[in-house]
Amino acid sequence: RLALGTMAWEAAVGGGAVPVADTVGGVDTILITAETLPIGSLAAQVGCATAGAIATFIGTTRNTFEGKRVLRLEYEAYEPMAKKEMLAICAEMRTRWPLRHIAMAHRTGVVPVGESSVEIAVSSAHRREGLEAVHYAIDELKARVPIWKREVYEGDERAWKQNKEWQHPEASRQDATDTSR
């Protein structure tokens, strides 16, 4: 049943969804694509009869940032490492919460205003673990997954954006060895 749902989702987003791990508790599906992500498309991929909750996060391109008119976002990814990190996040989520199915998708290329850049969906028996898992997943994805975002503003101004969750590995090592605190 899930495989059929995954195939339908692949068709909806132009292919490339990878049902990567059929874990003891469920299926982990990840996707990195330049195709449009239909808003809310992942929820159907994680539903099952044993889940009492489906929690989602959908990040979309907004039309302003700090008073500037945003025309679009442009994403680049180091795809092999990005997929590896997304799978690691799925595995970590499973150690922390009793989840059924997990699906994560991220766009690359141009993402116009109003379209989805990133989606995460999780099914679980109860809402609390699903909501906590989705919160964890988006924070970890932004902190660790090698996907870079550039905002393009009116007037052709452009700016690469650093996720506030990301911390340079050197800073982490420095914090760990700093005994002056």
Side-chain angles (χ1 to χ4, degrees), residues 25-180:
V27 175
D28 299 340
T29 304
I30 61 166
L31 173 69
I32 297 175
T33 182
E35 301 296 321
T36 299
L37 290 175
I39 291 179
S41 63
L42 293 188
Q45 298 308 304
V46 299
C48 67
T50 61
I54 296 174
T56 63
F57 172 82
I58 301 169
T60 59
T61 303
R62 63 181 170 262
N63 64 359
T64 59
F65 179 74
E66 295 182 350
K68 298 177 187 176
R69 182 166 176 246
V70 176
L71 301 178
R72 67 183 177 274
L73 299 179
E74 298 173 352
Y75 287 94
E76 292 184 13
Y78 177 44
E79 200 166 323
M81 184 180 276
K83 288 180 177 179
K84 181 180 175 182
E85 282 301 313
M86 290 167 81
L87 285 173
I89 292 166
C90 290
E92 292 163 13
M93 291 164 67
R94 290 192 178 283
T95 66
R96 298 177 73 151
W97 297 280
L99 305 174
R100 291 295 300 132
H101 304 298
I102 303 168
M104 285 192 233
H106 206 296
R107 288 276 301 272
T108 56
V110 174
V111 183
V113 169
E115 289 191 11
S116 174
S117 298
V118 59
E119 296 202 18
I120 299 169
V122 171
S123 60
S124 56
H126 304 284
R127 70 181 178 270
R128 179 176 303 272
E129 49 265 19
L131 291 168
E132 289 174 358
V134 166
H135 186 186
Y136 175 84
I138 189 60
D139 285 352
E140 290 300 307
L141 186 146
K142 289 177 74 73
R144 298 169 29 192
V145 176
I147 297 174
W148 302 277
K149 173 174 74 174
R150 180 168 49 183
E151 288 186 346
V152 179
Y153 307 106
E154 192 171 53
D156 206 33
E157 180 185 349
R158 299 161 189 255
W160 286 102
K161 306 303 283 188
Q162 180 174 314
N163 290 323
K164 63 182 175 191
E165 296 85 357
W166 187 81
Q167 184 175 8
H168 191 279
E170 285 298 316
S172 296
R173 280 193 286 276
Q174 224 170 12
D175 287 348
T177 58
D178 185 359
T179 58
S180 63

